[in-house]
């Protein structure tokens, strides 16, 4: 046994991970059930027990490697100065540089960012990408900021992150409410500070400055690839299947569009402010046109209006949550009628809801596999930036499909071998890869 294992008893091991959750005053009051970091730790406990993971490895994964909190002063359009709070968390870097998105949202908190960074470690490992996991965010409401304020906020945040990020250290990307333009400002700010253009410092950039073909659509595209694989197993014909999509941001809108294109009937779509239900199927292209230059799809005149949470209980074959974490809980899980849930969002299902789905025989394709298309295309973008050699969209999509299918098959194999659900199987695959890197690298000094 490694020396460190002797001093960590199982009692300490479990006590150490359930520290009081950190909360920012303006963050939502998480209950232990909906606190994303506590949820991440519960999953880690499950996988640790299943794999009989060495306690010292469990300890390493139950804490982020490093966390950074920054205050970001921004000159507002009315000349006042407002100070925002931002975070970047490196969860684990044993398999490579840190990778993960940046989120702008009023409910961002350190605990949320820690959970999202943990999920990135696992997501990159499931896909066998040479990355560790990171995440960042700023507590802000982008709807209340002008473009100029967003630019100044982003540039100052990037400058504050200067000590963390870099093409070989930590590579941010878009997440909730961030986009290619924000990545362009990050890339430019970082490049100005280091004195040369460094496209590989962020992914999800506009194509004109070193972004990749296919990156923008990649998360939604990957969601559809794994759905096709799962449908094959469950005997669902996607062409006649009914799909409900929660969230109409980059992931939800692209997934809905591709499902629609493949002939599936998208019967429900919703976002934070409302949604639409049409048992005959929604014309997603028309809905996208409606949403152009609007913050929400609420008010779309064709079909019946429905609420964001009503969508989860719709009569459908496939439910695709693509919004925020903690949406499927023990309260609404019993009402879910879908046979298959594909997690386009990060952490949309609480562990309690997961148990209910298991009892009800609903297959769940977990986030760390289902939405990994985004970070996989980010990896392709980073490789192209490093080589200064760019691929065609067909090459990106072909390689993306290959890697998504490979990961799906590997997870499925573990699920069958160990008689466990797809989530636990995905964690077993990922954790074993991270643990192996930890064992081989050993402890410094
Ligand atoms: N934000 C995305 C995710 O949660 C993409 C991360 C990346 O491309 O680095 O997976």
């Amino acid at each position: 046994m490694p020396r460190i294992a002797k001093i960590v008893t199982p009692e300490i091991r479990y006590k150490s991970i359930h520290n009081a959750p950190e909360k920012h005053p303006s963050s939502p009051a998480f209950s232990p059930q909906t606190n994303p970091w506590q949820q991440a730790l519960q999953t880690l406990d499950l996988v640790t027990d299943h794999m009989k993971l060495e306690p010292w490895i469990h300890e390493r994964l139950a804490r982020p490697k490093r966390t950074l909190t920054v205050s970001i002063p921004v000159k507002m359009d009315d000349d006042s100065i407002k100070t925002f709070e931002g975070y970047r968390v490196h969860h684990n870097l044993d398999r490579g540089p840190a990778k993960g998105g940046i989120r702008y949202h009023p409910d961002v908190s350190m605990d949320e960012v820690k959970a999202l960074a943990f999920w990135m470690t696992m997501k990159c490992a499931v896909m066998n990408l040479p990355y560790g996991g990171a995440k960042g965010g700023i507590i802000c409401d982008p709807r209340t900021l002008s473009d100029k304020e967003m630019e100044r906020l982003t540039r100052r945040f990037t400058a504050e992150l200067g000590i963390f990020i870099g093409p070989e250290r930590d590579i941010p990307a878009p997440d909730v409410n961030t986009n290619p333009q924000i990545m362009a400002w990050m890339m430019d700010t970082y490049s100005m500070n280091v004195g040369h253009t460094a496209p590989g410092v962020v992914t999800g950039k506009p194509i004109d400055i070193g972004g990749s073909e296919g990156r923008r659509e990649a998360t939604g595209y990957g969601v559809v690839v794994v759905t096709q694989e799962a449908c094959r197993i469950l005997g669902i014909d996607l062409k006649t299947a009914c799909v409900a999509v929660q969230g109409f941001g980059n992931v939800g809108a692209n997934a809905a569009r591709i499902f629609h294109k493949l002939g599936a009937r998208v019967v429900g779509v919703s976002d934070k402010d409302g949604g639409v239900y049409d048992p005959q199927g929604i014309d997603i292209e028309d809905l996208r046109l409606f949403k152009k230059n609007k913050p929400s799809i609420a008010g779309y005149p064709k079909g019946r209006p429905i609420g964001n949470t009503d969508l989860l209980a719709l009569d459908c074959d496939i439910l695709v949550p693509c919004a925020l974490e903690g949406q499927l809980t023990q309260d609404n899980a019993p009402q879910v009628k879908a046979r298959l849930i594909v997690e386009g969002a990060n952490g949309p299902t609480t562990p309690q809801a997961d148990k209910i789905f298991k009892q009800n025989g609903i297959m769940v394709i977990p986030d760390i596999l289902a939405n990994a298309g985004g970070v996989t295309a980010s990896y392709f973008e980073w490789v192209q930036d490093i080589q200064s050699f760019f691929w065609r969209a067909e090459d990106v999509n072909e390689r993306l499909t290959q890697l998504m299918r490979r990961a799906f098959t590997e997870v499925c194999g573990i699920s069958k071998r160990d008689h466990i659900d797809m989530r636990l199987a995905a964690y077993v695959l990922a954790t074993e890869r991270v643990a192996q890197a930890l064992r081989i690298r050993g402890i410094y000094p």
Side-chain angles (χ1 to χ4, degrees):
M1 286 286 267
R3 192 166 62 89
I4 193 162
K6 287 191 189 137
I7 55 164
V8 181
T9 65
E11 290 76 37
I12 296 175
R13 186 181 117 196
Y14 283 96
K15 217 169 117 204
S16 67
I17 64 168
H18 296 297
N19 301 325
E22 285 180 54
K23 255 188 275 168
H24 184 273
S26 68
S27 73
F30 291 128
S31 71
Q33 272 189 12
T34 56
N35 179 299
W37 177 236
Q38 297 300 308
Q39 284 176 24
L41 293 176
Q42 283 177 40
T43 312
L44 180 63
D45 285 356
L46 278 180
V47 68
T48 298
D49 287 343
H50 180 81
M51 294 174 69
K52 307 205 173 16
L53 195 64
E54 299 95 306
W56 72 274
I57 293 182
H58 176 276
E59 275 283 285
R60 296 283 297 147
L61 297 178
R63 289 184 169 80
K65 178 181 174 68
R66 45 173 94 102
T67 61
L68 177 69
T69 302
V70 294
S71 70
I72 314 157
V74 178
K75 197 175 261 181
M76 308 302 280
D77 290 346
D78 65 1
D79 263 350
S80 66
I81 294 171
K82 196 168 164 190
T83 303
F84 295 83
E85 186 155 297
Y87 310 100
R88 186 76 181 162
V89 171
H90 289 175
H91 173 260
N92 180 277
L93 308 188
D94 282 285
R95 289 174 42 83
K99 189 84 192 78
I102 303 266
R103 172 174 295 204
Y104 288 180
H105 197 276
D107 294 342
V108 162
S109 68
M110 179 55 102
D111 267 2
E112 182 190 50
V113 175
K114 276 160 65 176
L116 289 162
F118 168 84
W119 290 326
M120 285 310 300
T121 300
M122 296 295 165
K123 196 185 297 184
C124 294
V126 163
M127 297 306 298
N128 215 358
L129 307 178
Y131 287 136
K135 205 81 178 197
I138 302 178
I139 304 170
C140 66
D141 185 353
R143 291 185 189 196
T144 64
L145 299 173
S146 71
D147 286 355
K148 286 282 159 221
E149 288 167 341
M150 282 283 262
E151 177 172 353
R152 289 192 289 267
L153 175 70
T154 301
R155 288 189 182 276
R156 182 60 187 255
F157 181 50
T158 309
E160 298 293 342
L161 289 188
I163 50 171
F164 255 43
I165 60 174
E168 288 164 354
R169 298 163 168 244
D170 174 5
I171 307 112
D175 195 76
V176 174
N177 292 333
T178 53
N179 57 31
Q181 176 61 71
I182 290 174
M183 295 305 115
W185 290 327
M186 291 192 79
M187 184 276 237
D188 183 67
T189 305
Y190 179 85
S191 299
M192 290 302 108
N193 283 324
V194 294
H196 60 90
T197 295
V201 66
V202 290
T203 57
K205 299 176 292 294
I207 291 176
D208 315 73
I209 55 164
S212 175
E213 295 284 350
R215 170 63 187 88
R216 204 171 181 151
E217 304 78 23
T219 314
Y221 182 91
V223 163
V224 177
V225 172
V226 296
T227 306
Q228 287 172 318
E229 297 300 300
C231 282
R232 211 161 292 155
I233 292 174
L234 295 175
I236 298 176
D237 180 2
L238 199 54
K239 287 208 167 61
T240 55
C242 291
V243 185
V245 181
Q246 188 197 41
F248 207 65
N250 178 43
V251 183
N254 276 303
R257 181 179 58 81
I258 303 168
F259 278 126
H260 179 69
K261 209 168 114 192
L262 291 176
R265 209 155 17 115
V266 182
V267 293
V269 179
S270 68
D271 66 23
K272 182 166 152 287
D273 298 323
V276 56
Y277 171 64
D278 186 344
Q280 304 307 317
I282 300 160
D283 180 345
I284 301 299
E285 286 309 331
D286 192 53
L287 183 61
R288 274 158 67 95
L289 281 177
F290 173 83
K291 200 201 157 182
K292 221 171 178 193
N293 304 323
K294 283 195 197 70
S296 168
I297 57 168
Y300 181 64
K302 303 174 193 165
R304 273 211 322 262
I306 50 160
N308 198 26
T309 44
D310 304 332
L311 179 123
L312 303 171
L314 280 186
D315 209 350
C316 63
D317 302 297
I318 306 165
L319 175 62
V320 193
C322 296
L324 292 175
E325 55 272 11
Q327 298 297 303
L328 290 159
T329 64
Q330 59 187 354
D331 299 329
N332 58 23
Q335 279 90 57
V336 169
K337 298 181 191 69
R339 292 166 61 195
L340 171 65
I341 297 173
V342 185
E343 296 183 336
N346 290 311
T349 308
T350 65
Q352 293 75 21
D354 227 6
K355 277 192 200 137
I356 296 170
F357 294 144
K358 211 167 161 182
Q359 282 158 14
N360 293 350
I362 299 172
M363 186 184 206
V364 181
I365 308 301
D367 47 5
I368 59 168
L369 170 64
N371 70 38
V375 72
T376 304
S378 275
Y379 166 58
F380 296 157
E381 178 174 333
W382 181 72
V383 167
Q384 293 170 73
D385 288 338
I386 289 171
Q387 298 185 340
S388 296
F389 179 72
F390 292 89
W391 310 351
R392 295 173 312 161
E394 301 89 283
D395 301 328
V396 173
N397 288 339
E398 195 187 311
R399 287 183 165 135
L400 182 56
T401 308
Q402 260 172 23
L403 292 201
M404 296 298 299
R405 285 194 185 144
R406 180 183 74 185
F408 186 93
T409 307
E410 285 174 328
V411 171
C412 233
I414 294 173
S415 161
K416 284 198 188 114
R417 182 194 73 193
D418 292 4
H419 307 288
I420 53 178
D421 60 43
M422 291 289 280
R423 187 184 313 279
L424 188 52
Y427 274 92
V428 168
L429 177 64
T431 307
E432 187 46 39
R433 285 182 175 148
V434 179
Q436 192 57 2
L438 272 153
R439 292 183 199 113
I440 295 170
R441 288 182 62 161
I443 299 295
Y444 171 87

